[in-house]
Amino acid sequence: MSDQSSVNPMRQAIEKAQASALLAIKTVSDLPALRSLSADLNKKDSPLNALKTELGKLNSVDDKRTMGQLLNSASIAVSAALDIRTGEFEQSEISARIVREAMDLSELVTNRRRGHSHIVTQATMRLEDVFIGLGFQIAEGPEVETDFNNFEALNMPKSHPARSEFDTMFLEYGEPGSVLLRTHTSPVQIRVMQSWPPPIYAIMPGRVFRRDTPDATHMPVFHQIEGLVIDRGITFAHLAGTIEAFTKAFFGRDFTSRLRPSYFPFTEPSAEFDIRRQDGEWIELGGCGMVHPNVLVSSSIDPEEFSGFAFGFGIDRMAKERHKVEDIREMYTNDLRFVKQF
Ligand code: FA5
């Protein structure tokens, strides 16, 4: 039989112990304090745990069960409250850390100017776009070249007088005079013809080197873009048409081009190619011509079956023209006031 005289005080003691544990959990100020409170509440002699030992003193089995259940649910409520409060402290610690460690990147974004490509790089990329649009592929070759690719295979044997027009910088490497800094992009023609079977429609941009004294239109290091077409039935008309299509696509509809007879050992016939500006003035851009049969033979292409044309012009001079830069040297002084304009 239930003994209310011992059950009632025990019920009150359980409710009091639960209420005081919950209040302590609610009012604790930080995580370390909560952890030590949690340790206290789990001790054997904590008010709730101490009451568990009191259970044995009850006489009725029913009372033991009822009080046991009450004690159990009080323990569950206390440990749930501990978990919730721990979660709250951890969350607010994370939020505080986010605020504490946040970096203000807005200054970086608003106060730093983004850089941009140099005008010669811009011109090269535009040239590539225009020629890709005309169906050409891009090829590249090394800046350090052999005498064979730079001269000999281009129909300029050792004694050829045209070699003196290229003031060449040789490297002290291998046989004297056999390795050099390429003086033009034409040796890439040889590399392309030796590695791709025709038909070939390729452009080859790159840096070239000559012992030229810097002046308003010359630099010792400058850039060229080479073009090469090898196919069956290619004529001079294809060359002129390509140059004209390129001129209009790159400079604009009101520009036009003309070819003047000239001489290059690697093309026959050869021409100098000029463009006419809006003000009517003609500007020389580069050289071109039909690929010389000797050049085809040195690259193992049969001149009876294939013919082709090639052209090569100075990218720096084109950029100078397009942006109306007075002196080509200005493009390489790295003066930000100049660079930022383009
Ligand atoms: C050549 O270099 C030939 N390889 C071009 C060629 C290719 C002809 C294929 C036929 C077939 P040239 O030496 O003229 O040619 O140079 C070509 C262009 O490079 C010149 O018209 C000029 O625009 C540019 N150039 C030459 N020297 C300099 C320099 N020192 N500084 C800046 N640009 C230069």
Side-chain angles (χ1 to χ4, degrees), residues 150 154 156 165-166 183-187 189 208-228 239 262-273 284-291 309-318 328 332:
N150 196 83
L154 288 164
M156 282 182 279
E165 281 172 30
F166 297 100
T183 57
H184 51 174
T185 42
S186 300
Q189 285 187 37
V208 302
F209 308 81
R210 287 182 199 177
R211 233 187 256 267
D212 281 348
T213 308
D215 64 23
T217 53
H218 291 82
M219 286 297 286
V221 179
F222 59 101
H223 302 78
Q224 288 188 338
I225 187 162
E226 194 83 8
L228 177 68
L239 167 59
S262 185
Y263 171 77
F264 295 99
F266 31 95
T267 46
E268 182 59 38
S270 301
E272 211 73 62
F273 126 60
E284 181 197 313
L285 272 195
C288 59
M290 301 305 290
V291 178
F309 65 78
F311 55 82
F313 40 82
I315 302 178
D316 315 68
R317 292 227 187 130
M318 290 179 68
I328 207 167
Y332 294 101

Side-chain angles (χ1 to χ4, degrees), residues 206-254:
R207 196 155 60 146
V208 302
F209 308 81
R210 287 182 199 177
R211 233 187 256 267
D212 281 348
T213 308
D215 64 23
T217 53
H218 291 82
M219 286 297 286
V221 179
F222 59 101
H223 302 78
Q224 288 188 338
I225 187 162
E226 194 83 8
L228 177 68
V229 168
I230 307 283
D231 207 342
R232 292 183 180 85
I234 296 293
T235 69
F236 203 87
H238 294 117
L239 167 59
T242 305
I243 298 273
E244 181 65 8
F246 152 74
T247 302
K248 292 211 173 332
F250 187 81
F251 290 99
R253 293 252 129 235
D254 39 359

